[in-house]
């Protein structure tokens, strides 16, 4: 779909007169213009833009003293203000941030740390202890310095107490000059074709992603935005979006329905990001009252479609607008939005729109192509290709994969979609067989490789099956070489994979079905087992 064909998309809100060229400039500009305005709410405490900027500068000075430009800094932590400080301070020091998914297993953390060449790791003490307990940790982490969040971090981050603003010590090296095309994050994908790949995102890609997000979900003056998703996800760009326009972020350590309702009620939250499962938990909470969401203008969601019944419940009880987005790590955010107006239309007459991810933004070009590279007409499915300034630079240390993913200047997403006559994009399949469970991406091939390592498993196929609460659950269809019980297989997977990647269903078959190409026919397996009841856990 050509740029400019999205008349339903809003206009970007007003921001500073001089657009930022780098991520740290987002914060420094707001600190200069509105130093006393709220940047973060954290567990009842208000942190101003000036306060956050001062801490970021101190931390950046320490990092610049200890590391060379371009080195990688890992962060293994749950949401907290220090994580936000690292998001700004690491690039300010000319370094590259490598956020690690705290839900992964230690073996997965080690792989990503080694792949990215991380030389400094900052993290929660409990997570660092779990990492250290892995038998390969001592050898793998010999050259990685570690700093535990808390008292150790507070002492370390000041680097002896020097400050840059008017108190710079003699001999303190200046912070490097940053360029828009410098790498700022290495964010590992979910490994849909095996091992996770590190998508390299630059300052300019992130800022272009924020430009897109501002069109799809405009930020209004005085907004208070509630963010419950992990900061180690690409969804963290929503925090930067709020700061880009001087809004306040209400940061949650994680999602809990009661805490979310309390924050909305007591802090006057105006916008949120939630998964459909989270929205359902709010409405089902025993303390829920429509008055809790009286100040909420919109809720943004992604990763899963909105059930029609849930949409009708929300619209019947509140005046909240809904906005769905479609994007991915490699796009530093989203490129297509299903707007509040689209959701209202879906509730009134066109329910099929809820299966759409909206219409692409004018900031991105989107094509659908068949296997021969021919553009698909409306109604015909093809692979989703995207060309936009917010595209990643490539995959860290994987030049061949980078060339393949960015062939001819287009990001090949691996998703299969179709356009309707009105330009709405529908995702009809996931070419890479990704499972989305509770908003988390699970790569089927990664789980299959672990399962095939068990001597009792002759072959297997991992699929997603529908689940009322989580959207999908991970199911393993297994062909056995020997007798083995579910508990043994669960333990085998859990020793190498995160809990959310471990299959919840074990389905035994005499043989796996194959298609004409000789590949396992996963659509047939999904159809075969889709009607079987999934445990409600």
């Amino acid at each position: 779909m050509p740029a400019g064909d999205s008349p339903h998309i809003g206009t970007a809100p007003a921001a500073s007169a001089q657009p930022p060229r780098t991520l740290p400039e987002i914060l420094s500009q707001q600190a200069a213009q509105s130093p006393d305005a709220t940047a973060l709410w954290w567990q009842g405490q208000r942190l101003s833009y000036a306060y956050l900027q001062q801490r970021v500068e101190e931390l950046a000075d320490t990092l610049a003293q200890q590391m060379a430009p371009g080195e990688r800094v890992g962060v293994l932590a749950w949401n907290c203000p220090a994580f936000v400080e690292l998001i700004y301070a690491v690039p300010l020091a000319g370094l590259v941030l490598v956020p690690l998914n705290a839900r992964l297993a230690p073996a997965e953390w080690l792989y990503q740390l080694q792949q990215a060449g991380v030389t400094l790791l900052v993290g929660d003490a409990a997570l660092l202890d779990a990492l250290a307990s892995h038998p390969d940790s001592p050898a793998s982490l010999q050259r990685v310095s570690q700093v535990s969040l808390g008292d150790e971090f507070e002492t370390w981050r000041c680097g002896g107490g020097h400050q840059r603003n008017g108190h710079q010590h003699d001999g303190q090296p200046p912070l490097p000059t940053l360029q828009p095309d410098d790498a700022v994050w290495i964010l590992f994908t979910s490994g849909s074709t095996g091992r996770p790949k590190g998508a390299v995102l630059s300052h300019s890609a992130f800022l272009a992603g924020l430009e897109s997000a501002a069109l799809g979900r405009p930020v209004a003056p005085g907004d208070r935005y509630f963010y419950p998703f992990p900061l180690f996800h690409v969804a963290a760009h929503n925090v930067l979006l709020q700061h880009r326009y001087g809004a306040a972020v209400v940061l949650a350590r994680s999602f809990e329905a009661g805490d979310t309702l309390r924050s909305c009620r007591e802090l006057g939250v105006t916008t949120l990001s939630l998964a459909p499962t989270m929205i359902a938990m709010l409405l089902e909470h025993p303390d829920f009252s429509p008055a809790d969401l009286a100040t909420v203008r919109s809720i943004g969601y992604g990763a899963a479609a909105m059930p029609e019944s849930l949409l009708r419940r929300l619209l019947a009880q509140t005046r909240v607008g809904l906005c769905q987005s479609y994007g991915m790590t490699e796009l530093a955010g989203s490129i297509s939005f299903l707007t509040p107006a689209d959701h209202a239309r879906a509730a009134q007459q066109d329910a099929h729109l809820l299966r759409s991810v909206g219409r692409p933004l004018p900031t991105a070009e989107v094509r659908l192509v068949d296997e021969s590279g021919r553009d698909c007409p409306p109604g015909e499915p093809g692979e989703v290709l995207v060309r936009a300034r917010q595209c990643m630079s490539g995959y860290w240390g994987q030049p061949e994969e980078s060339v393949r993913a960015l062939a001819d200047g287009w990001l090949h997403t691996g998703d299969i979609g179709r356009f309707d006559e009105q330009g709405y994009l529908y995702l009809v399949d996931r070419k890479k067989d990704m499972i989305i469970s509770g908003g988390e991406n699970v790569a089927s091939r990664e789980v299959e490789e672990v399962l095939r390592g068990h001597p009792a498993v002759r072959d297997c196929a991992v699929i997603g099956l529908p689940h009322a609460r989580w959207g999908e659950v991970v199911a393993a269809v297994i062909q056995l070489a020997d007798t083995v019980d579910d508990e043994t297989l669960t333990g085998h997977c859990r020793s190498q994979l995160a809990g959310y990647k471990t299959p919840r269903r074990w389905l035994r078959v005499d043989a796996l079905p194959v298609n004409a190409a000789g590949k396992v026919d996963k659509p047939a397996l999904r159809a075969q087992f889709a009607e079987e009841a999934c445990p409600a856990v």
Side-chain angles (χ1 to χ4, degrees):
M1 188 178 192
D5 284 1
S6 301
H8 68 301
I9 296 295
T11 57
S16 56
Q18 182 65 36
R21 296 174 62 254
T22 65
L23 289 194
E25 288 181 11
I26 294 174
L27 183 62
S28 63
Q29 288 182 356
Q30 293 300 334
Q33 294 172 10
S34 305
D36 295 327
T38 302
L40 283 178
W41 282 96
W42 170 252
Q43 298 182 346
Q45 291 186 317
R46 187 186 75 86
L47 308 180
S48 70
Y49 276 99
Y51 174 81
L52 184 58
Q53 175 66 16
Q54 177 185 346
R55 289 180 61 87
V56 165
E57 289 182 353
E58 292 170 354
L59 178 53
D61 284 340
T62 296
L63 290 165
Q65 283 187 322
Q66 298 182 8
M67 305 179 72
E71 286 194 87
R72 274 76 66 201
V73 178
V75 56
L76 178 58
W78 302 108
N79 289 1
C80 62
F83 203 139
V84 178
E85 293 170 16
L86 287 162
I87 286 175
Y88 288 114
V90 169
L92 183 58
L95 308 171
V96 183
L97 190 71
V98 184
L100 300 175
N101 187 332
R103 296 191 177 111
L104 299 183
E108 296 169 293
W109 294 332
L110 283 175
Y111 172 78
Q112 294 181 15
L113 289 168
Q114 292 171 323
Q115 274 292 107
V118 166
T119 53
L120 171 66
L121 177 62
V122 180
D124 288 346
L127 296 174
L128 295 180
D129 287 345
L131 176 65
S133 69
H134 192 278
D136 292 339
S137 283
S140 301
L141 299 178
Q142 281 182 347
R143 299 183 179 180
V144 180
S145 301
Q146 297 186 40
V147 178
S148 177
L149 289 172
D151 291 342
E152 181 183 357
F153 177 77
E154 286 303 312
T155 300
W156 170 84
R157 58 171 288 280
C158 291
H162 62 265
Q163 297 182 14
R164 182 164 297 274
N165 290 340
H167 302 284
Q168 183 171 339
H169 287 182
D170 292 338
Q172 180 181 329
L175 293 176
T177 300
L178 307 180
Q179 300 300 326
D181 290 335
D182 289 344
V184 61
W185 275 31
I186 298 174
L187 193 55
F188 280 86
T189 67
S190 297
S192 56
T193 55
R195 290 277 201 170
K197 299 185 290 291
V200 180
L201 303 175
S202 66
H203 292 277
S204 58
F206 252 119
L207 291 171
L210 298 187
E211 180 183 344
S212 294
L215 292 172
R217 290 190 68 192
V219 180
D223 266 347
R224 290 187 176 183
Y225 167 74
F226 184 86
Y227 182 78
F229 290 105
L231 289 167
F232 52 70
H233 277 185
V234 73
H237 80 276
N238 287 291
V239 172
L240 301 176
L241 173 66
Q242 307 306 310
H243 288 172
R244 170 76 176 87
Y245 296 98
V249 174
V250 180
L251 182 65
R253 180 174 173 83
S254 60
F255 175 77
E256 198 282 320
D259 289 343
T260 302
L261 292 172
R262 191 177 306 109
S263 293
C264 290
R265 184 172 58 247
E266 296 179 358
L267 296 178
V269 167
T270 57
T271 59
L272 305 87
S273 288
L274 299 172
T277 54
M278 296 175 179
I279 297 174
M281 290 177 189
L282 294 186
L283 299 183
E284 294 166 3
H285 194 276
D287 295 337
F288 171 74
S289 165
D292 293 333
L293 305 181
T295 60
V296 176
R297 183 176 73 254
S298 69
I299 297 176
Y301 69 96
M306 175 65 62
E308 183 180 353
S309 59
L310 180 58
L311 171 66
R312 294 190 183 281
R313 285 177 61 193
L314 186 68
L315 295 184
Q317 298 184 53
T318 74
R319 301 178 65 182
V320 172
L322 288 169
C323 182
Q324 183 190 184
S325 61
Y326 166 63
M328 58 191 58
T329 300
E330 290 89 340
L331 287 168
S334 300
I335 50 88
S336 183
F337 284 83
L338 191 70
T339 67
D342 292 327
H343 283 83
R345 177 180 157 197
Q348 293 167 5
Q349 57 188 16
D350 296 326
H352 67 274
L353 283 178
L354 294 179
R355 297 191 294 272
S356 164
V357 294
R359 290 190 277 192
L361 296 163
T363 50
E365 297 176 79
V366 179
R367 298 169 57 201
L368 304 181
V369 300
D370 61 20
E371 293 185 359
S372 65
R374 180 183 64 89
D375 285 284
C376 299
E380 183 179 317
E383 183 178 6
V384 180
L385 272 56
V386 179
R387 184 165 62 186
R389 291 187 296 114
Q390 65 195 79
C391 280
M392 67 170 182
S393 307
Y395 293 118
W396 181 266
Q398 295 184 280
E400 293 181 0
E401 291 282 358
S402 301
V403 169
R404 189 177 299 116
L406 297 170
D408 301 319
W410 292 82
L411 175 66
H412 291 60
T413 68
D415 288 332
I416 302 298
R418 65 173 175 84
F419 279 122
D420 67 12
E421 295 289 347
Q422 295 178 305
Y424 286 90
L425 176 62
Y426 295 77
L427 299 182
V428 298
D429 197 5
R430 291 188 293 274
K431 184 177 179 180
K432 301 174 181 178
D433 289 321
M434 190 73 72
I435 300 164
I436 301 178
S437 181
E440 290 284 355
N441 289 348
V442 180
S444 59
R445 181 170 172 178
E446 182 183 18
V447 183
E448 288 162 359
E449 289 177 351
V450 169
L451 268 177
R452 292 190 182 108
H454 193 284
V457 176
R458 174 173 290 133
D459 203 0
C460 64
V462 172
I463 59 175
L465 292 181
H467 190 278
R469 166 159 287 191
W470 304 117
E472 290 181 307
V473 291
V474 181
V477 185
I478 50 177
Q479 181 182 354
L480 294 177
D482 200 356
T483 303
V484 64
D485 58 30
D486 293 357
E487 290 75 16
T488 300
L489 291 173
T490 297
H492 171 74
C493 290
R494 193 63 187 90
S495 68
Q496 302 178 59
L497 296 169
Y500 70 85
K501 296 182 180 181
T502 299
R504 299 291 184 93
R505 301 288 315 284
W506 299 100
L507 306 166
R508 291 163 172 78
V509 296
D510 294 330
L512 294 171
V514 296
N515 58 24
K519 297 181 179 180
V520 174
D521 192 346
K522 288 190 175 181
L525 289 174
R526 293 188 194 103
Q528 178 181 346
F529 294 110
E531 300 303 320
E532 294 202 11
C534 289
V537 295

